[in-house]
């Protein structure tokens, strides 16, 4: 009888240890709660947490924090319940290739504004080339938070 009690106690401890081990072997990742289409801006309300086994193999590196995703733009369709690859999201484009943008040169008290055609899309802080509409010259500038392109000294 004593041996039976010891075996039962050992089995109970082993099963509790296995349950705790199983809980520790899960990874919680943010996944879309709804379908997110390419070009959509991701908001935290569009995401939910989902547990994945620790040994689950992903095809590419995946985003592990919902804070990283907030405000980003989807580069392709993201399906509900699936992990989000890091290369599937990008910073939102403030300047779009081929769409007129305001170009600004400021130095000291001098401020010159004009219109240009970006030759590439750009996110905030990115250096891009812009064709000046008035002169036809291609100039380099940095995208600002308000969507303007600042040329000259940044």
């Amino acid at each position: 009888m004593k041996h039976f009690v010891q075996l039962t106690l050992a089995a109970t401890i082993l099963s509790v240890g296995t349950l705790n081990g199983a809980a520790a072997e899960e990874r919680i990742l943010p996944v879309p709660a709804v379908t997110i289409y390419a070009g959509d801006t991701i908001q935290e309300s569009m995401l939910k947490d989902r547990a994945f086994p620790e040994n689950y193999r992903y095809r590419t590196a995946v985003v592990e924090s919902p804070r990283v995703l907030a405000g980003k733009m989807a580069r392709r369709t993201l399906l509900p319940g699936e992990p989000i690859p890091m290369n599937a999201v990008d910073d939102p484009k403030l300047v779009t290739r081929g769409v007129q943008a305001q170009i600004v040169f400021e130095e000291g008290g001098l401020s010159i504004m004009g219109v240009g055609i970006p030759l590439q899309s750009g996110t905030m802080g990115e250096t891009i080339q812009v064709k000046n509409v008035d002169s036809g010259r291609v100039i380099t500038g940095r995208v600002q938070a308000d969507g303007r392109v600042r040329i000259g000294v940044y």
Side-chain angles (χ1 to χ4, degrees), residues 53-103:
E54 186 64 35
N55 60 357
Y56 184 79
R57 296 284 177 210
Y58 308 102
R59 285 182 256 156
T60 61
V62 295
V63 177
E64 296 190 22
S65 171
R67 288 187 300 269
V68 172
L69 293 169
K72 298 278 187 177
M73 181 184 72
R75 294 178 68 194
R76 62 182 176 91
T77 302
L78 304 173
L79 300 174
E82 294 295 319
I84 301 171
M86 293 185 89
N87 63 359
V89 295
D90 199 4
D91 291 324
K93 302 292 184 195
L94 298 175
V95 174
T96 306
R97 178 181 180 215
V99 177
Q100 285 188 351
Q102 189 174 31
I103 52 177

Side-chain angles (χ1 to χ4, degrees), residues 68-149:
V68 172
L69 293 169
K72 298 278 187 177
M73 181 184 72
R75 294 178 68 194
R76 62 182 176 91
T77 302
L78 304 173
L79 300 174
E82 294 295 319
I84 301 171
M86 293 185 89
N87 63 359
V89 295
D90 199 4
D91 291 324
K93 302 292 184 195
L94 298 175
V95 174
T96 306
R97 178 181 180 215
V99 177
Q100 285 188 351
Q102 189 174 31
I103 52 177
V104 179
F105 175 82
E106 292 176 332
E107 189 173 317
L110 178 66
S111 178
I112 302 172
M113 295 190 186
V115 177
I117 305 290
L119 301 179
Q120 57 205 100
S121 297
T123 61
M124 187 176 93
E126 191 172 8
T127 301
I128 63 168
Q129 291 188 327
V130 181
K131 183 176 182 179
N132 187 324
V133 173
D134 295 329
S135 68
R137 292 185 61 172
V138 176
I139 50 180
T140 302
R142 183 166 286 163
V143 179
Q144 303 298 299
D146 59 2
R148 298 186 299 173
V149 179

Side-chain angles (χ1 to χ4, degrees), residues 38-50:
D40 287 353
T41 300
I42 300 172
Q43 299 169 6
E44 284 195 48
S45 62
M46 302 167 109
L47 304 171
K48 66 179 181 178
D49 288 336
R50 179 176 167 201

